[in-house]
Amino acid sequence: MDIHEYQAKELLATHGIRMPRGGLAYSPEQAAYRATEIGGDAWVVKAQVHSGARGKAGGIVLCKSDKEVAAAAEKLLGQKLVTHQTGPAGKLINRLYIEETVPIEKELYLGFVLDRKEERIMIVASSSGGMEIEQIAEQEPDSLVRASVDPGLGMREFQAREIAFGLGLDGALIGKAVDTILGCYRVFRDFDASMLEINPLVVSKNEVIALDAKMSFDENALFRRPEISELRDKSQEDARETFASDRGLSYVGLDGDIGCIINGAGLAMATLDMIKLEGGEPANFLDIGGGASPDRVAKSFRAVLQDKNVKVILVNIFAGINRCDWVAEGVVKAIEEVGVNMPLIVRLSGTKVDEGKAILREKAPSVITADTLKDAAVAAVAALKQTQKNAA
């Protein structure tokens, strides 16, 4: 789960991280008031969307009067910001963060990420801030400073000091950088974050200041972090993924037109690959999980049908914990209650497979059945081509 910049900064502030003064605004009038409230003679108006590269896309505007602030807010609010991270659909701007400007003497990069392979928190820092970490790694690999944290010991002060020295900071700033790095680590640890990025982290007037902040959280830990759950902004999420996650389904939206309902992440990935191999484009990744009841299968159909681009649905079940007869009953329930007005291909294998196939033959004769994954993918792509031909 991602959160907005201002929300990340509020969390960082609880652990002593310094940042420019700022305030939230939902209207041009409120934006202008925030500027006068903050004081000074220049402000930055920042679109609050879940995406990086906002500046390149026009989502960050420097203003030198409250009238300019109001005009920038008028232009941004209600618009969709399109960056290379959002895709062509963009993200809706419905709130702004008005922030004071600070003189920048040096820009740094500081990032924390959960390394699942090493099962440790990995810290990456660079003396070249302001760029995306991929650009830094490609263009200035020698500037990268890396460290990992032993989960049993936590981050030690000497590690933070080594990172600070690696960034080439003056002696007077080392202690402040150490406090910033340790504070970021504690925020990451205490709130079950999966990513924390400050880019740029700047040196300004003998201080180390977080000029920007991005955070993501482990959704599996939100049950014990209600204060983080409350920060969720559904308007920034894919509506299809929001619908599915609210119903306990693992769903990732894609750009194709063949909807997929599968059990098991590995089988789901193999199914997507097979569809691509046969010349089709999957519309989603959806793992219904183990022990799927007919009601859960029907919910999966509703999630897939949220995507109006879907023209064919492929169900691929290898039943171990699941039972093919349950899945078949769910397919029948979806056809009757949800309304599946498109070709439906079902491949069942494993526990109670004969019973499941019998249910489909009796109650859903229009369903196209397949015995193997390849057969199912071939049938789905063929059905799609026929649908497109009929539409033409």
Side-chain angles (χ1 to χ4, degrees):
M1 187 192 84
D2 298 327
I3 62 174
H4 289 294
E5 172 196 357
Y6 77 94
Q7 295 169 327
K9 286 183 171 179
E10 288 173 355
L11 292 177
L12 292 170
T14 63
H15 285 66
I17 311 303
R18 291 184 59 84
M19 58 202 63
R21 292 177 299 156
L24 198 61
Y26 294 91
S27 68
E29 293 77 12
Q30 193 175 21
Y33 176 77
R34 290 296 185 210
T36 57
E37 187 179 49
I38 293 167
D41 55 9
W43 305 267
V44 181
V45 178
K46 296 183 173 183
Q48 295 300 287
V49 296
H50 291 172
S51 174
R54 291 173 297 165
K56 295 178 182 178
I60 298 179
V61 183
L62 176 63
C63 302
K64 295 186 177 180
S65 71
D66 57 346
K67 290 183 179 179
E68 288 186 14
V69 169
E74 182 78 45
K75 183 178 179 180
L76 290 172
L77 286 169
Q79 302 301 310
K80 286 192 174 182
L81 189 69
V82 179
T83 73
H84 70 274
Q85 294 184 11
T86 66
K91 299 270 189 178
L92 180 66
I93 304 171
N94 54 30
R95 65 189 81 179
L96 303 170
Y97 191 57
I98 316 302
E99 193 171 64
E100 67 176 342
T101 59
V102 296
I104 299 173
E105 300 166 22
K106 187 175 184 178
E107 292 188 350
L108 311 169
Y109 174 93
L110 180 62
F112 293 71
V113 68
L114 188 62
D115 188 326
R116 299 187 184 278
K117 182 179 179 181
E118 299 294 330
E119 298 182 347
R120 296 186 175 203
I121 296 173
M122 184 67 67
I123 302 143
V124 180
S126 173
S127 56
S128 301
M131 299 189 295
E132 295 180 26
I133 188 60
E134 293 84 359
Q135 290 179 288
I136 297 173
E138 180 180 348
Q139 299 175 15
E140 301 184 44
D142 294 339
S143 72
L144 292 179
V145 181
R146 294 183 174 90
S148 62
V149 180
D150 187 315
L153 297 174
M155 189 173 191
R156 317 310 296 173
E157 189 172 329
F158 79 87
Q159 291 179 294
R161 193 178 297 112
E162 287 179 348
I163 294 172
F165 277 111
L167 293 174
L169 296 173
D170 296 335
L173 291 169
I174 294 296
K176 294 176 181 179
V178 168
D179 290 340
T180 298
I181 294 167
L182 289 174
C184 287
Y185 165 73
R186 295 186 186 106
V187 171
F188 190 100
R189 177 198 64 193
D190 293 348
F191 293 107
D192 288 312
S194 56
M195 187 277 291
L196 190 165
E197 183 181 69
I198 299 178
N199 186 28
L201 179 69
V202 302
V203 175
S204 177
K205 296 182 179 179
N206 206 36
E207 294 289 347
V208 178
I209 299 174
L211 213 58
D212 194 6
K214 290 197 295 185
M215 289 190 74
S216 299
F217 298 87
D218 184 350
E219 292 185 1
N220 295 313
L222 292 180
F223 72 94
R224 63 183 183 186
R225 303 292 179 208
E227 71 276 29
I228 300 300
S229 297
E230 292 175 0
L231 302 179
R232 183 179 181 186
D233 182 359
K234 292 185 178 181
S235 72
Q236 295 295 303
E237 300 175 2
D238 187 316
R240 301 169 298 172
E241 295 179 10
T242 301
F243 180 91
S245 65
D246 287 347
R247 288 153 183 82
L249 300 170
S250 298
Y251 180 104
V252 178
L254 302 173
D255 297 328
D257 40 23
I258 298 178
C260 301
I261 299 174
I262 308 161
N263 71 312
L267 182 60
M269 295 301 291
T271 304
L272 303 189
D273 288 344
M274 187 60 74
I275 290 172
K276 294 277 288 185
L277 187 63
E278 296 301 327
E281 290 291 337
N284 64 275
F285 167 104
L286 192 154
D287 176 11
I288 64 174
S293 65
D295 184 59
R296 186 174 178 82
V297 175
K299 286 181 180 179
S300 298
F301 273 90
R302 290 189 178 94
V304 170
L305 291 171
Q306 289 291 307
D307 186 345
K308 302 306 180 185
N309 291 325
V310 171
K311 302 295 186 293
V312 175
I313 295 179
L314 169 58
V315 179
N316 185 17
I317 302 296
F318 187 85
I321 300 173
N322 276 327
R323 287 173 39 175
C324 291
D325 55 340
W326 289 349
V327 174
E329 290 288 358
V331 170
V332 172
K333 182 174 183 178
I335 293 173
E336 294 175 349
E337 297 182 6
V338 181
V340 182
N341 302 314
M342 61 185 66
L344 174 58
I345 294 86
V346 178
R347 180 249 179 167
L348 301 176
S349 181
T351 306
K352 300 284 187 178
V353 62
D354 292 334
E355 291 87 340
K357 289 181 177 180
I359 290 171
L360 292 178
R361 284 195 300 268
E362 178 184 349
K363 298 182 179 180
S366 63
V367 169
I368 302 169
T369 59
D371 293 324
T372 67
L373 170 54
K374 180 177 177 61
D375 291 342
V378 169
V381 173
L384 176 63
K385 290 179 179 179
Q386 185 61 48
T387 299
Q388 293 170 337
K389 181 178 179 180
N390 293 340

